[in-house]
Amino acid sequence: GESVGLHLPTLSVQEGDNSIINCAYSNSASDYFIWYKQESGKGPQFIIDIRSNMDKRQGQRVTVLLNKTVKHLSLQIAATQPGDSAVYFCAESLTGGGNKLTFGTGTQLKVEL
Amino acid sequence: GAVVSQHPSRVICKSGTSVKIECRSLDFQATTMFWYRQFPKQSLMLMATSNEGSKATYEQGVEKDKFLINHASLTLSTLTVTSAHPEDSSFYICSASWTSDDQPQHFGDGTRLSIL
């Protein structure tokens, strides 16, 4: 059922700074990892993904780093903008993006002007 | 590309009512669609996976008779919440994918269900 009073971890950054959002995943057998951005009242929006045979992947203003040794995933956002304010979720899959995803708890990113 | 449309965006209804939510892939054929539930300030919890033309696979703890899923075509899946009660109030989100491994799931914008 619904949990009352649950708060998402929050990361506050100044506009123009770089943001780093971290995620610990659970299954060492996971082969695929993905980051989604969710704005209030909307569905998750794809940001970037990475396979387990890679440790880094770059997109436009975003970089995903994967450390399989400690089961850690991070999302780096360069030159953070107000429009980046949202909740960010990591997710993992045993096989790929088109299959079952297990989502992390999420991080609220707040960009201060 | 890869647009997923969900309808309605918001439903408010009385306890005991059954509610149907539609999920459509607008510009691709979705071999698999997923239904999630999300409570405020929480993560997405997978309810079920549906493949076109076959029965949905439900996650542990999700009542299949309560949450009826139909995936009649490659562009449409529906979730029916039967005899809804206040504890069923939540944000329901669907996603769709067209290949099993290579492409990310694309999500609809969710349905806010409020049961009075």
Side-chain angles (χ1 to χ4, degrees):
Chain A
E2 183 171 346
S3 297
V4 177
L6 189 68
H7 295 285
L8 287 169
T10 299
L11 173 65
S12 295
V13 299
Q14 293 290 321
E15 182 181 6
D17 287 351
N18 297 333
S19 302
I20 300 176
I21 301 171
N22 295 304
C23 174
Y25 64 91
S26 59
N27 193 338
S28 57
S30 291
D31 183 54
Y32 175 88
F33 305 87
I34 188 167
W35 282 98
Y36 283 98
K37 171 187 180 183
Q38 187 179 28
E39 296 176 335
S40 181
K42 294 189 175 182
Q45 176 185 357
F46 168 75
I47 301 174
I48 192 167
D49 56 4
I50 188 169
R51 284 267 177 202
S52 63
N53 61 353
M54 302 173 67
D55 53 21
K56 180 179 180 179
R57 192 175 186 203
Q58 289 183 291
Q60 188 175 14
R61 274 201 314 119
V62 294
T63 301
V64 56
L65 298 177
L66 174 63
N67 185 332
K68 294 182 288 296
T69 303
V70 294
K71 293 191 288 187
H72 184 267
L73 195 67
S74 69
L75 175 70
Q76 300 178 1
I77 304 173
T80 312
Q81 302 168 359
D84 295 327
S85 294
V87 178
Y88 290 80
F89 291 99
C90 68
E92 60 184 295
S93 170
L94 290 176
T95 52
N99 287 319
K100 177 179 174 179
L101 291 175
T102 300
F103 278 78
T105 54
T107 298
Q108 174 83 57
L109 176 65
K110 293 186 176 181
V111 182
E112 299 170 347
L113 302 177
Chain B
V3 177
V4 176
S5 174
Q6 201 169 329
H7 178 80
S9 58
R10 186 174 181 102
V11 179
I12 302 172
C13 58
K14 294 180 179 179
S15 184
T17 306
S18 292
V19 178
K20 180 185 284 188
I21 302 169
E22 292 187 348
C23 180
R24 294 182 184 271
S25 55
L26 297 185
D27 52 358
F28 65 98
Q29 292 186 323
T31 52
T32 307
M33 287 186 170
F34 302 87
W35 287 95
Y36 295 83
R37 184 173 182 176
Q38 186 179 33
F39 290 111
K41 296 190 183 299
Q42 294 192 32
S43 188
L44 283 76
M45 297 299 294
L46 180 65
M47 298 174 66
T49 302
S50 77
N51 293 292
E52 185 264 341
S54 62
K55 289 184 179 180
T57 302
Y58 289 80
E59 294 299 302
Q60 190 173 8
V62 178
E63 300 174 58
K64 59 181 67 176
D65 295 331
K66 173 76 172 177
F67 299 99
L68 302 178
I69 291 172
N70 183 278
H71 193 161
S73 76
L74 285 172
T75 59
L76 174 64
S77 177
T78 61
L79 167 68
T80 301
V81 183
T82 62
S83 186
H85 292 284
E87 59 266 28
D88 298 321
S89 298
S90 190
F91 193 50
Y92 292 87
I93 314 174
C94 72
S95 70
S97 66
W98 67 93
T99 63
S100 59
D101 290 339
D102 296 334
Q103 299 295 329
Q105 293 173 33
H106 293 275
F107 285 80
D109 270 342
T111 297
R112 174 73 58 194
L113 177 61
S114 300
I115 308 297
L116 304 178

